[in-house]
Structure formats: structure tokens, C-alpha cells
Amino acid sequence: QVQLVESGGGLVQAGGSLRLSCAASARTSSSRAMGWFRQAPGKEREFVAAISGIGSSTYYTDSVKGRFTISRDNAKNTLYLQMNSLKPEDTAVYYCACALVPRISMPSNPAFYAYWGQGTQVTVSS
């Protein structure tokens, strides 16, 4: 069982930055790919970014490319999402997710991930 706890969300003005963190239980390591998803009110959960077990491969949805950066520190069992140039449309609850394998085959498919955190709210004001 993998437990995930997100933090770092909050209220920020458009153009600002936030860094989300996802602390994973001790069993999470370079053996598991991880990702970030988000869900805005009234919308379906959508893929944001993913990273392979050792961090050699990353994937982003088009709307965040060049603004968001996903990274991980396996020594600390922590996943990060650096979000710059935030826009009001980035407002959502952000969830981290953990797969069972290190290589990413379906980064944007929620079914690829076996474990999910409870989410952290990000609100971007205009």
C-alpha cells in the first residue's frame, strides 16, 4: 500500500508561482512512475504531468508545457510540481498519483495509476 499526501496549494494571483509536493510512503521509490492530475469544479479529472521512476522521462499536457515542471527526489520519496505563470484556468484540486511500474505507458490515463492522494486546492485569481 502506498500513501500519498499533497501539500503546497493555496491562493495566488495570475502570473504567480506555486510548488506542490507529494510525500509518499517509504515503499515508493524509483520503481514507480508518478503523476499529477487536476480537477476543476464541474469538470472531469484531467492529466497534468507524469514522470518515470528514475525521472528520465517526463510528460505534460499541452496547456502547461513551458510553465509547469514535474520532478522527484527518490531519496526523500517526494514528487514535486513547480507551477509558474499561473492562470485562472489552472484553478483546480491537484492530485498526485502513483503507478505500480517505473516506466510510463499511458501517462494521461488515470487507470495507469494505482494510488491517489487526497488533493490540494490551487486557486489562481485574475
Side-chain angles (χ1 to χ4, degrees):
Q1 186 74 15
V2 176
Q3 296 178 336
L4 305 170
V5 179
E6 302 95 335
S7 62
L11 174 63
V12 64
Q13 290 187 333
S17 297
L18 283 173
R19 188 175 83 154
L20 304 184
S21 298
C22 174
S25 58
R27 289 185 177 182
T28 301
S29 65
S30 59
S31 63
R32 300 178 187 271
M34 299 186 74
W36 289 97
F37 285 72
R38 65 186 179 187
Q39 187 167 19
K43 295 187 177 181
E44 294 186 353
R45 189 171 299 190
E46 67 168 347
F47 169 73
V48 176
I51 188 168
S52 61
I54 60 172
S56 57
S57 300
T58 57
Y59 303 82
Y60 298 92
T61 191
D62 286 345
S63 63
V64 307
K65 285 180 181 177
R67 300 189 298 123
F68 290 12
T69 302
I70 188 171
S71 62
R72 65 191 298 162
D73 185 337
N74 286 337
K76 296 181 179 179
N77 293 317
T78 303
L79 176 73
Y80 303 100
L81 185 68
Q82 178 67 44
M83 305 186 295
N84 299 327
S85 302
L86 283 161
K87 304 176 181 180
E89 51 263 43
D90 294 318
T91 295
V93 177
Y94 283 71
Y95 299 89
C96 72
C98 182
L100 296 175
V101 296
R103 297 180 67 182
I104 299 176
S105 57
M106 301 178 290
S108 62
N109 187 343
F112 175 70
Y113 303 91
Y115 303 102
W116 295 82
Q118 293 300 307
T120 185
Q121 176 71 47
V122 171
T123 303
V124 184
S125 63
S126 57

